Amino acid sequence: MTQPATDPAPLVPDEFTPEKFEVVPARTFEDLRVGEVFRAPSRTLTDAHAAAFQTVSADNHPVHYDAEWARRHGHSAPVVHGLQVLAFTAPGATLFPHFIGEVFISFLELSCTFLAEVHSGDTLYPALTITELQPQGDNGVVVTAATIHNQRGELVLSGQHKYLLRRQ
């Protein structure tokens, strides 16, 4: 005699708590690998972005907002602030902080070289690539190459970030 089919138990979602809400499963220092790339979404810069950054930074050099001044001094258009371009490499602009979750301690240092001008209308493609993992006792340092390319494939910024993470 055959048994009657039984319905599987209904799926009940876990009880929601903000503390358990993750964008991606968090990883540890030991889970990271040299060569991993964390990209940020591409962004097309506008005059509004440049004006907002100028207001916040209080940098009033005419190369950033005066098209005629910029042309007289050899630029094709006003130049986006270098620090604004650098800000696109912020780890929070990528999924990196979500991947490292609660093991993040601090952003230790950064350096960069500006390789080409960026203008309003340029689209930027930022990425962080893990280049070194340096265990240091209970902690570890993650070193990343920070790069930004433009819509023409030109590397406009190259740099390095270092982060301190707690180890297991």
Side-chain angles (χ1 to χ4, degrees), residues 2-14:
T2 57
Q3 296 291 327
T6 57
D7 290 332
L11 294 175
V12 178
D14 293 336

Side-chain angles (χ1 to χ4, degrees), residues 29 32 96 100 130-134 140-144 161-165:
F29 177 84
L32 298 172
F96 183 66
I100 59 175
I130 296 176
T131 59
E132 292 181 58
L133 296 165
Q134 305 167 346
V141 174
V142 177
V143 181
T144 65
H161 293 186
K162 290 185 181 182
Y163 314 100
L164 184 64
L165 274 57

Side-chain angles (χ1 to χ4, degrees), residues 60-105:
N60 288 306
H61 194 285
V63 72
H64 300 303
Y65 63 85
D66 185 327
E68 293 308 314
W69 191 98
R71 275 193 271 283
R72 281 196 316 270
H73 291 86
H75 307 279
S76 61
V79 178
V80 172
H81 294 76
L83 292 177
Q84 183 176 16
V85 174
L86 176 62
F88 285 91
T89 70
T94 73
L95 288 178
F96 183 66
H98 299 282
F99 276 102
I100 59 175
E102 298 296 317
V103 300
F104 177 78
I105 298 171

Side-chain angles (χ1 to χ4, degrees), residues 18-164:
E19 296 79 18
K20 292 183 180 179
F21 185 82
E22 297 177 325
V23 174
V24 294
R27 295 161 54 193
T28 65
F29 177 84
E30 290 76 13
D31 294 329
L32 298 172
R33 298 290 172 253
V34 170
E36 284 189 85
V37 180
F38 299 90
R39 292 179 179 88
S42 61
R43 301 261 196 258
T44 300
L45 293 172
T46 66
D47 290 337
H49 291 119
F53 190 84
Q54 180 183 343
T55 300
V56 170
S57 69
D59 183 337
N60 288 306
H61 194 285
V63 72
H64 300 303
Y65 63 85
D66 185 327
E68 293 308 314
W69 191 98
R71 275 193 271 283
R72 281 196 316 270
H73 291 86
H75 307 279
S76 61
V79 178
V80 172
H81 294 76
L83 292 177
Q84 183 176 16
V85 174
L86 176 62
F88 285 91
T89 70
T94 73
L95 288 178
F96 183 66
H98 299 282
F99 276 102
I100 59 175
E102 298 296 317
V103 300
F104 177 78
I105 298 171
S106 66
F107 191 162
L108 295 174
E109 66 181 69
L110 67 85
S111 63
C112 77
T113 302
F114 302 104
L115 302 168
E117 291 183 1
V118 172
H119 303 106
S120 180
D122 283 346
T123 300
L124 302 181
Y125 298 85
L128 300 174
T129 303
I130 296 176
T131 59
E132 292 181 58
L133 296 165
Q134 305 167 346
Q136 295 180 353
D138 292 339
N139 300 320
V141 174
V142 177
V143 181
T144 65
T147 58
I148 298 179
H149 289 83
N150 65 18
Q151 72 277 9
R152 293 177 298 280
E154 299 166 331
L155 184 62
V156 299
L157 180 144
S158 177
Q160 182 179 61
H161 293 186
K162 290 185 181 182
Y163 314 100
L164 184 64

